[in-house]
Amino acid sequence: MSGDRGDRPDPVLAAIGAALFHLRRVWIKPDMMKRIRARTAGGPGGRPLQISNLMVVNAVAALTDEPPADTGAATGAVGETGEAEVSCEITVGAVADRLEIDPSTASRLVGHAIDAGLVSRRPSPVDARRANLGLTDAGRRVKQVADRYRRAYFHGLMNDWTDAERAEFARLLTRFADAAARDPMDPDGIDKIFEEAGLD
């Protein structure tokens, strides 16, 4: 396997790094965030839809679909209240783990999603002192529309790709993402960069 050798960087790795940096710039453009908020100013609860709302909605939906470790399945049914009924509890802590953020931040983001009418909070079936989260009707609609919009956007980007190219890209990108999740970058690496550059 090739890699950087001394002062000769691997051009493939350099290209991957440049592409990922460019993607990050595209996805978090400030003007995009402003347009999203402006277009959703009349959203659930009368509040603009925030990116953090979508993050929480996606996390709760993913946790709802996950089979509980002890029972092996979640019902995923919808009850009379319009909320998803699951056989496991979905706590703020679980959302924090899913989003890889600290519990206090997760609690704040979940609170915003609840205020926006996208997430419901009920007593936990395991411990009444804890909150059991679920998607409301509005939350499920937002997720469905967001998923459909995302798929349409990706389809447009890859409109001239062959089916084989799309499948191979999906396979390799998933493999890359899984590897990054298993072995995240060491935060201390930033300090090492400045140390090696003589800027400490």
Side-chain angles (χ1 to χ4, degrees), residues 116-192:
L118 304 175
V119 172
S120 65
R121 175 165 39 199
R122 299 171 296 181
S124 166
V126 178
D127 186 343
R129 294 170 297 179
R130 292 201 299 254
N132 184 34
L133 306 175
L135 294 184
T136 63
D137 281 340
R140 284 191 296 277
R141 289 197 302 272
V142 164
K143 183 179 186 307
Q144 290 169 357
V145 173
D147 288 349
R148 186 168 65 245
Y149 177 83
R150 188 182 303 112
R151 289 192 299 268
Y153 176 68
F154 292 159
H155 177 75
L157 292 179
M158 299 184 288
N159 192 42
D160 58 347
W161 294 29
T162 66
D163 289 344
E165 287 173 333
R166 286 155 54 108
E168 182 68 357
F169 178 73
R171 184 185 72 82
L172 292 176
L173 184 59
T174 300
R175 181 179 174 185
F176 182 85
D178 288 345
R182 288 193 303 270
D183 187 18
M185 186 178 290
D186 184 359
D188 293 337
I190 299 297
D191 295 332
K192 294 177 182 177

Side-chain angles (χ1 to χ4, degrees), residues 40-49 53 113 115-118 136 138-139 141-142:
T40 59
R47 294 187 172 203
L49 184 64
N53 294 157
D115 291 342
L118 304 175
T136 63
R141 289 197 302 272
V142 164

Side-chain angles (χ1 to χ4, degrees), residues 9-46:
D10 184 325
V12 173
L13 298 181
I16 292 172
L20 290 175
F21 182 75
H22 183 58
L23 274 178
R24 182 177 182 275
R25 290 178 58 199
V26 169
W27 282 108
I28 63 170
K29 282 185 176 180
D31 60 326
M32 182 183 296
M33 301 299 105
K34 291 178 181 178
R35 288 170 60 188
I36 290 174
R37 295 189 183 102
R39 292 188 179 186
T40 59

